[in-house]
Amino acid sequence: IKKQQQDVLGFLEANKIEFEEKDIAANEENRKWMRENVPEDSRPASGNPLPPRLFNDSRYLGDYEAFFEARENNAVYAFLGLTAPPGSKVGVYILTVNN
């Protein structure tokens, strides 16, 4: 999980895409929000969804595998729902665990 989180965060930082990281390990509200906002068809068969999970404001974008596929296909900005040029303020949230 940590390696995947670092991969996503590193990409966003390198491309100057503004984001807010929300730690679900240290904040019960963030954990609850993630559980409620990951669509049913994107949840694991058992247990809770694991980070990293990406959202644009409250719109669910996907998990690490979806991000990785978009990056491999040079489609990350479309995946993130960004129309603004890199460096513009956007509402991208990355839910992570930092312990």
Side-chain angles (χ1 to χ4, degrees):
I1 291 175
K2 191 70 170 170
K3 182 180 181 315
Q4 292 177 350
Q5 290 172 173
Q6 290 172 336
D7 190 29
V8 173
L9 296 174
F11 178 88
L12 296 174
E13 289 167 353
N15 288 283
K16 297 179 174 49
I17 298 171
E18 191 171 308
F19 64 92
E20 180 180 340
E21 183 178 357
K22 296 188 176 197
D23 187 348
I24 65 166
N27 186 306
E28 179 61 33
E29 287 300 313
N30 287 343
R31 186 170 31 251
K32 181 180 176 189
W33 188 89
M34 183 181 78
R35 288 179 185 152
E36 292 173 354
N37 287 285
V38 171
E40 194 69 39
D41 63 346
S42 296
R43 296 178 188 197
S46 63
N48 291 311
L50 297 174
R53 299 290 172 146
L54 291 87
F55 293 82
N56 187 328
D57 291 323
S58 62
R59 184 172 56 90
Y60 180 70
L61 303 175
D63 59 9
Y64 176 77
E65 288 75 24
F67 168 81
F68 182 80
E69 184 175 321
R71 191 176 70 187
E72 290 295 304
N73 292 320
N74 295 318
V76 173
Y77 289 99
F79 169 77
L80 295 174
L82 302 179
T83 54
S88 297
K89 184 173 175 150
V90 296
V92 175
Y93 303 100
I94 314 304
L95 292 160
T96 61
V97 175
N98 289 316
N99 55 347

